[in-house]
Amino acid sequence: MARRSFIAGNWKMNKTPDEARALALELRAKLEGFKNCDVAVCPPYVSLAPCVTALRGTNIAVGGQNLFWEKAGAYTGEVSGPMLAAAGCEYVIIGHSERRQYFGETDQTVNRRLQAALNCNLKPILCVGETKDERQRNVTEEIVRRQMDGALAGFKPEALATLTIAYEPVWAIGTGLTASPAQAQAVHAFIRGLLKAKFGASAAEQLRIQYGGSVKADNARELLSQTDIDGALVGGASLVAKDFDAIVRAAK
Ligand code: 13P
């Protein structure tokens, strides 16, 4: 079945609110009228409002980079799903490897965040992927299976309707090393197989799986042409309007 491509920019901890607004306006100008695939940008929390305003009425959606699973309360420093939704977010990234590496994210906390996102109708982008050491030890599938099982524990097939998975091999993030199209395709097919076994063929066939890890204007087309690669989660290159624009235009 034909899945609509989805390109998202993860701006990580970059851009002040003014810089974020300027980048959003640049993207707006470049992608005016572009409808061939779904597009989103995920700026830091403080830049959500200016980006939502700058992108209103366009086909470029806005997403958060994380959320906390409680709705409100005494959780200093956290931001909840309902807050993101009220700020105009359509998407939220969950379980990014940087959060797993530096902020103690586990498969269990990813599971809770995912549930919280779905409860307030945010569309989650769930990140999975192996480290360099895990790839070298040949346990990529085992790791990805554990991450997927943990994140999706207790979910019904309906939960997959708005979910996107991002396969991001940790060794390819911000390193300039990219998984080869064949390497990435193999893991994407593996992930789709897991989903099929767990949730059935129809849910698995509809779900989009993005690749992330040093996606650039010059390698996007080949990666995105693979059967099970339905889009990209772009870090560094999403901070430059012309590069992100080129990646969006490379989508199937
Ligand atoms: P880079 O594109 O900078 O490698 O980052 C990928 C990523 O982590 C997107 O979430």
Side-chain angles (χ1 to χ4, degrees):
M1 76 154 279
R3 291 173 293 269
R4 187 171 161 81
S5 297
F6 176 27
I7 310 291
N10 175 7
W11 293 2
K12 308 192 178 180
M13 197 176 74
N14 293 290
K15 304 287 177 190
T16 62
D18 281 347
E19 292 166 349
R21 178 190 296 109
L23 176 55
L25 288 172
E26 256 190 286
L27 290 174
R28 177 188 178 120
K30 286 199 182 299
L31 291 168
E32 188 84 64
F34 183 87
K35 294 199 177 73
N36 293 0
C37 70
D38 290 344
V39 182
V41 295
C42 303
Y45 292 138
V46 292
S47 295
L48 289 172
C51 287
V52 166
T53 305
L55 296 171
R56 190 161 286 139
T58 72
N59 295 313
I60 307 173
V62 175
Q65 296 179 12
N66 185 28
L67 56 66
F68 187 55
W69 52 80
E70 295 295 342
K71 290 191 179 74
Y75 303 102
T76 303
E78 295 301 307
V79 169
S80 73
M83 290 172 183
L84 292 180
C89 287
E90 183 174 337
Y91 294 95
V92 61
I93 297 171
I94 296 195
H96 191 279
S97 66
E98 286 149 18
R99 297 220 55 88
R100 296 178 193 254
Q101 264 184 296
Y102 308 136
F103 302 102
E105 193 82 70
T106 65
D107 293 327
Q108 288 67 42
T109 56
V110 166
N111 178 267
R112 295 189 75 174
R113 289 181 215 276
L114 209 47
Q115 186 62 62
L118 293 173
N119 287 348
C120 58
N121 295 321
L122 287 166
K123 299 173 182 167
I125 302 174
L126 165 65
C127 302
V128 298
E130 81 289 0
T131 62
K132 183 175 172 195
D133 173 64
E134 289 160 348
R135 175 152 291 256
Q136 282 168 346
R137 285 192 288 120
N138 234 340
V139 292
T140 296
E141 293 192 350
E142 197 180 306
I143 295 298
V144 170
R145 179 196 300 274
R146 191 207 70 213
Q147 293 171 333
M148 293 283 295
D149 283 349
L152 296 171
F155 284 91
K156 298 208 161 58
E158 302 84 81
L160 270 62
T162 61
L163 178 67
T164 297
I165 308 279
Y167 168 58
E168 300 206 312
V170 179
W171 50 272
I173 295 178
T175 57
L177 293 174
T178 317
S180 69
Q183 273 175 328
Q185 164 59 28
V187 181
H188 281 231
F190 174 73
I191 291 172
R192 205 176 301 285
L194 291 178
L195 290 167
K196 189 173 169 183
K198 221 173 154 74
F199 298 102
S202 146
E205 279 304 311
Q206 280 169 47
L207 182 139
R208 298 185 290 198
I209 308 175
Q210 296 175 321
Y211 169 78
S214 299
V215 175
K216 307 288 176 204
D218 60 7
N219 61 22
R221 195 169 297 277
E222 210 190 337
L223 284 160
L224 293 167
S225 68
Q226 303 297 308
T227 319
D228 287 290
I229 302 187
D230 310 310
L233 184 55
V234 186
S238 72
L239 298 171
V240 180
K242 78 166 175 19
D243 293 351
F244 189 65
D245 174 64
I247 293 168
V248 167
R249 287 172 196 279
K252 285 186 277 236

